[in-house]
Amino acid sequence: LPSNCTVTVATGTSEYSGTNNYIYVTLVGERGESERTVLDNPGLDFRRGAVDDYTVKSSADLGPLILVRLEKQKYWVEDNWFCRYVKVSVPGQRCSYTFPCYRWLVGDKVVVELREGTAKKISDDTLPLEISHRKAELQERQKIYRWLAWAPSIPKCIDAKSEADLPQDARFDNEKRSDFVGSLHYALLELSLKKLAIKFGKSWNDLDDFKRIFWKLRSPIAEYTMNHWKEDWFFGYQFLNGSNPRMITKCKELPSNFPVTGDMVQSSLIPTTTLKEELKEGNIFLVDYAIMDGIPANVIRDRIQHIASPLCLLYEHPEKGLIPIAIQLGQKPDKDTPIFLPSDPPLAWLLAKMWVRHSEFQVFQLLSHLLRTHLVVEVICVSTLRQLPAVHPIYKLLTPHLRYTLEINCRGRTQLLSMDGIFKKVVSTGGDGLLILAQREYKVLTYRSLQPKFDFLDRGVTKLKDYFYRDHSMMLWNVIQNFVSGIVSLYYKSDSEVEQDSELQAWIHDVAVEGFVDVPHFASELKTKEELITLLSVAIFTSTAQHAATNNGQFDWCAWVPNTPCTMRHPPPTDKDAVTMGMIMDTLPDISQSCVEMAITWHLGRAQPDAIPMGQYVEQYFTEPAALRVIDKFRKELKELEEQIIAQNEGLELQYLYLCPSRMENSITI
């Protein structure tokens, strides 16, 4: 029978989402197609944020709807359009159909076909049209999203020389793009031009001089850092809850290349114990930067910078907390590589700690942050786009957690890490060093280490006090895993359904064989629901909690430059008694380098203006009530977790709030 369907079309809410071009729609059902209909109401159609209703005629009953076909043709000029979704109400049918889109229609005479919103594996599709649509969608995406090895021995990335090469669907919205470019310029302008007459290469006169760039860009924790950075307990605290909280390990016996004796450190221990006893009790910890040994140093304005590979021994003191008790600034002990102690001249001990913090800057930025979050998630992102059609449940689950990641990574490669990028200009590992450092870390990267439970177990830090990063990470992991398990169980009733999903197996093969080459224990096939749940939990945890833990506090810990210097302009001291304030000032970043460090860490670490908080799914890819109930439960558990974290922090002078779900983004966007 002929019928008139009501078609509701939602246009995007961001700038330039609307269009003045012609939009046509065709409804495709099991029994036929509707008329190709131009969507045209009186007045302006498809304005930004609009939700418009139209009538579409069909000469016969179409049966259950399978697809909606959208077409865009230019009217005078080309005008891109972002469609959020299409809904169709069919006379005589109680339910309406929802067709999620969340895509740009770019170009003239462009056609996009949308599947009805019910998530389906390939085995759930029985009609030839459904199966051919899946295959055609993936073939098109595989032409657009291609792998590239931008350097040997690190994860592969998207094939794009810069963000301009990415398709519109992978690009920042206009507001995000404008803010990203403008905020860095603003920070540099405020720090450099308004307040300082900068001379490149000029040192600060004394430590208080760093306050001259601390006037405009500031945060409560950055100010706290400025006031407490010299204190040993605060130095130790940052290994637990700073921007690099994944390095510290329990020390069961001292490394042979770190010849600390009991007499050296006795004054740092409680009087009734010894180093040997504390090692046995599990109260001694080690941070070893062996990975930095031999990394080539950057040359900035014709001046060689300097890199160290420290070892730092820490003691969990029953009253003072985690405190450093010995530091060696190289991997080979000799007369020119002494062991620095808290009992040494105060400036010598302070400079030794600065050298450790300098290594922290390199490791957290390039390894904990860039490699272990940005590059890991990029592999998941590219594989998802290449191997999972939009109707697949795992595509629907992952896509909100991959928003903007391709563009921010492209910008990172071109603007931060390249031979004319910011790291080359101000960071000691800039140039060749950063890539060598990332390659070394990639050789020892394991899938197991990306799972927080095993990370803490393997490092022997499950009982360390005041390790808020660990406690909050485990709480978040459990909530994420419950959520993922709930979604996976809706669509996979058994292990065999996982194993027999050819698209899912192509996805994991792309992840493991193309993206992650030679990562230990990263299997190229999925055999059980548990394996799938763990991998998806790793992907979501990494793109939310792990990234927030390493990125979001970087301004707090780096704004006071002496606490985490980006470069060192003189080699490590060899004589404890020869350290002077003049030597320290000539070693720390110069005025211009300090300005850039402060600006870039503010730019990258600040809250983003268009952030989507964790668990808030603005783009609703799932439409089934059962999946929406799982998402609602996830949000409720995240809210309860946040309340728990805030309650734990009540009364604390130094609060750890980086892993509050409302403060974390749903994806890596910065």
Side-chain angles (χ1 to χ4, degrees), residues 597-610:
E597 174 178 343
M598 196 174 184
I600 194 65
T601 55
W602 175 79
H603 172 61
L604 299 177
R606 73 199 171 95
Q608 296 299 297
D610 67 340

Side-chain angles (χ1 to χ4, degrees), residues 521-560:
H521 313 301
F522 210 118
S524 60
E525 55 185 353
L526 291 164
K527 295 185 177 180
T528 66
K529 284 173 63 178
E530 184 181 358
E531 289 175 0
L532 175 59
I533 290 165
T534 299
L535 177 54
L536 296 172
S537 300
V538 165
I540 294 174
F541 178 84
T542 304
S543 64
T544 55
Q546 194 61 56
H547 182 258
T550 55
N551 177 79
N552 293 6
Q554 59 177 293
F555 179 72
D556 291 337
W557 309 113
C558 300
W560 182 249

